């Protein structure tokens, strides 16, 4: 059952990310409406061509597609519960939550006659709509096929990753953990180096070079994990373990909290103790 559409899409939640999503839909030529708990944030989008809705009911009344982007899935559910009917609607949830939250929301929406896709934004608001931006979606392929043209407007790398409803959150949480660990490692080592008198330009340039190496190392590690072959003729776990121990010793007196580096050192020590010292980095996947 499809609702008569006066708007192509409604966005609920006009925080930093929700506002970027609504603006992108509108700038792509869609009729977009938006609602926010604090009305001023929806009203501020009017100058970008997004029609502010005064209530959830008004936002959902004229559309078949609603994208929800709030702090968490509790907020998504509480706000949708205020709607008179969700029947015939497709709900796309981009609010963060656990796998349980996603599965519970899927059941609840099913009971209320709504179709559901879950998703996660793997980018910043300022990148929404850019060729390199990615929003990952999961849920039934048939629902994705209905809304693919609209949802891929959000970024050139946006895609349907899985029919399994928790697929997008799973990738987001796992790859997000990698992202924040790497970023925390950068802040940690950059702070040490700046205190040691290196310039920010030196640190930045050398780190960006390191990121290119990391791309290469990630491809190699992925290939080794896939093949199950962890021998290396490039750099052994022992070499990495020695290097990190040395870095920890040298940087310890900088007064910086080196807990990311210390955790890496602990993992490499464990791999050495398990007899993996002569293997490549990816062998740690066997621990
Ligand atoms: N920003 C990013 O770079 C980024 C990247 C990846 C994922 N995300 C995810 O995207 C989601 C939104 O992030 P954001 O950066 O837009 O956050 P934000 O700027 O803090 O906005 C939060 C939004 O949630 C609304 N909200 C919170 N609790 C609510 C409730 N109980 N009822 C109704 N509305 C409620 C807020 O409404 P009010 O304005 O009324 O407070 C606001 O619209 C989060 O799950 C976040 O983890 C963000």
């Amino acid at each position: 059952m499809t609702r008569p559409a006066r708007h192509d899409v409604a966005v609920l939640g006009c925080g930093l990310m929700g506002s970027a999503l609504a603006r992108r839909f509108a700038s792509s030529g869609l009729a977009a409406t938006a609602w926010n708990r604090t009305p001023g944030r929806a009203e501020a989008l009017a100058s970008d061509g997004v029609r502010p809705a005064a209530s959830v009911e008004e936002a959902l009344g004229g559309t078949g597609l609603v994208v929800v982007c709030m702090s968490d899935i509790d907020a998504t559910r509480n706000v949708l519960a205020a709607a008179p009917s969700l029947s015939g609607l497709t709900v796309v949830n981009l609010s963060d939550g656990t796998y349980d939250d996603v599965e519970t929301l899927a059941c609840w929406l099913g009971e209320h006659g709504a179709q559901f896709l879950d998703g996660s934004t793997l980018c910043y608001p300022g990148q929404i709509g850019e060729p390199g931006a990615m929003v990952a979606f999961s849920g039934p392929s048939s629902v994705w096929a209905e809304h693919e043209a609209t949802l891929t407007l959000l970024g050139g790398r946006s895609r349907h990753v899985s029919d399994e409803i928790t697929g997008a959150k799973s990738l987001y949480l796992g790859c997000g953990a990698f992202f924040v660990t790497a970023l925390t490692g950068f802040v940690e080592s950059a702070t040490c180096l700046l205190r040691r008198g290196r310039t920010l330009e030196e640190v930045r340039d050398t780190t960006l070079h390191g990121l290119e190496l990391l791309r290469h190392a990630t491809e190699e590690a992925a290939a080794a994990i896939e093949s199950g072959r962890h021998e290396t003729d490039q750099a052994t776990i022992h070499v990495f373990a020695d290097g990190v121990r040395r870095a920890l010793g040298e940087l310890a007196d900088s007064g910086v909290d080196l807990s990311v580096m210390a955790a890496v050192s602990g993992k490499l020590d464990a791999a050495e103790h398990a007899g993996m010292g002569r293997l490549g980095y990816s062998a740690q996947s066997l621990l």
Side-chain angles (χ1 to χ4, degrees), residues 8-228:
D8 297 311
V9 59
V11 175
L12 303 182
C14 305
L16 298 174
M17 187 58 87
S19 295
L21 305 174
R23 276 196 294 267
R24 172 61 181 164
F25 287 134
S27 69
S28 306
L30 298 186
T33 188
W35 173 88
N36 194 61
R37 176 179 62 177
T38 309
R41 294 177 97 174
E43 287 157 9
L45 295 170
S47 55
D48 294 310
V50 178
R51 198 178 81 75
S55 65
V56 174
E57 182 175 2
E58 183 187 321
L60 301 193
T63 188
L65 177 64
V66 55
V67 175
V68 191
C69 187
M70 295 176 186
S71 303
D72 55 40
I73 289 181
D74 277 349
T76 294
R77 179 161 165 172
N78 289 339
V79 165
L80 290 174
S85 167
L86 298 174
S87 182
L89 201 62
T90 298
V91 174
V92 179
N93 173 65
L94 296 181
S95 309
D96 275 6
T98 63
Y99 302 161
D100 266 3
D101 294 334
V102 174
E103 280 166 352
T104 306
L105 182 63
C107 288
W108 183 79
L109 287 170
E111 286 161 16
H112 287 77
Q115 303 192 115
F116 177 42
L117 292 173
D118 192 61
S120 284
T121 44
L122 287 96
C123 58
Y124 288 110
Q127 296 171 308
I128 289 294
E130 289 185 357
M134 179 173 177
V135 186
F137 298 93
S138 50
S141 297
S142 55
V143 181
W144 169 252
E146 254 180 75
H147 300 289
E148 178 176 0
T150 301
L151 297 174
T152 49
L153 292 171
L154 298 177
R157 292 187 185 157
S158 296
R159 68 190 72 154
H160 180 247
V161 294
S162 174
D163 274 46
E164 197 185 321
I165 196 67
T166 54
K169 281 288 183 285
S170 170
L171 283 174
Y172 171 74
L173 293 174
C175 294
F178 161 71
F179 181 81
V180 294
T181 306
L183 197 55
T184 312
F186 165 68
V187 174
E188 188 178 284
S189 67
T191 310
C192 281
L193 289 169
L194 293 175
R195 286 191 189 175
R196 285 294 190 91
R198 305 317 317 175
T199 67
L200 192 55
E201 194 183 355
E202 286 175 317
V203 174
R204 184 180 166 280
D205 285 355
T206 313
T207 304
L208 290 177
H209 168 72
L211 281 181
E212 283 167 28
L213 282 182
L214 185 61
R215 172 183 284 270
H216 177 73
T218 302
E219 296 280 16
E220 273 200 348
I225 290 169
E226 187 174 37
S227 68

